[in-house]
């Protein structure tokens, strides 16, 4: 049953995994984990609703869970969550070299803003679908996009690091 969904949504979902994780190895793990969770929860899927936002939400939630798990892991040598975020941000990101400044600026955004930008601009979800995937109201998506655009404009115009 899931085979037809994988054929239809697999490429787009893998692209989302690459955009979220920044590496092929981590994207492969996230991709497989997302489909595994989808298989386990397929009985909860309402076939009257679009499948794309449903699988996107599973992927985003799985990614967030992995980040939380990493930040709580006693085996990691990170002294703070900032050190962990710095390590995650330094991971290589896919994309054309022409847009490396933009990609670097997006990677420096706070995680909530970064996820919203990726879903809206790179995954072509509209405000309502992004809101559904992130479990936030549409107004919050609009607010995050506005704030992210302002931060990106500041960084790309002045070449400074993002203020945190």
């Amino acid at each position: 049953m899931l085979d037809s969904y994988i054929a239809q949504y697999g490429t787009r979902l893998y692209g989302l995994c690459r955009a979220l994780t920044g590496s092929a190895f981590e994207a492969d793990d996230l991709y497989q984990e997302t489909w595994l969770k989808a298989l386990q929860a397929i009985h909860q899927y309402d076939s009257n609703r679009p499948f794309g936002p449903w699988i996107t939400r599973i992927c985003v939630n799985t990614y967030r869970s992995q980040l939380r798990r990493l930040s709580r892991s006693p085996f990691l040598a990170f002294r703070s969550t900032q050190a962990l975020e710095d390590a995650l941000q330094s991971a290589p990101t896919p994309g054309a070299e022409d847009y490396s400044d933009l990609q670097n600026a997006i990677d420096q955004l706070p995680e909530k803003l970064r996820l919203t930008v990726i879903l809206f601009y790179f995954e072509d979800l509209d405000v309502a679908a992004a809101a559904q995937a992130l479990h936030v109201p549409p107004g919050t998506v609009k607010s995050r996009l506005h704030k992210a655009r302002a931060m990106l404009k500041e960084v790309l115009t002045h070449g400074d690091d993002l203020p945190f």
Side-chain angles (χ1 to χ4, degrees), residues 36-79:
L36 179 62
K37 287 185 178 188
L39 179 62
Q40 293 168 344
I42 195 70
H43 65 281
Q44 297 172 347
Y45 170 63
D46 179 4
S47 60
N48 295 326
R49 302 183 68 129
F51 186 79
W54 186 75
I55 194 70
T56 299
R57 185 174 54 244
I58 291 173
C59 183
V60 169
N61 289 341
T62 302
Y63 173 70
R64 286 177 172 169
S65 295
Q66 288 177 350
L67 285 181
R68 279 193 299 275
R69 199 173 321 127
L70 279 174
S71 69
R72 293 182 195 147
S73 175
F75 300 108
L76 295 176
F78 300 109
R79 296 178 187 242

Side-chain angles (χ1 to χ4, degrees), residues 98-151:
D98 297 334
Y99 300 106
S100 62
D101 290 341
L102 176 61
Q103 187 66 45
N104 289 335
I106 291 170
D107 287 345
Q108 291 179 22
L109 288 171
E111 192 62 25
K112 287 181 180 181
L113 299 180
R114 191 176 82 83
L115 278 173
T116 306
V117 166
I118 288 171
L119 291 175
F120 186 78
Y121 289 108
F122 297 101
E123 294 302 315
D124 293 327
L125 295 183
D126 61 10
V127 170
Q132 184 181 12
L134 295 170
H135 295 290
V136 298
T140 301
V141 171
K142 291 177 184 178
S143 173
R144 287 179 183 176
L145 289 171
H146 177 75
K147 186 173 183 177
R149 282 191 297 264
M151 292 176 81

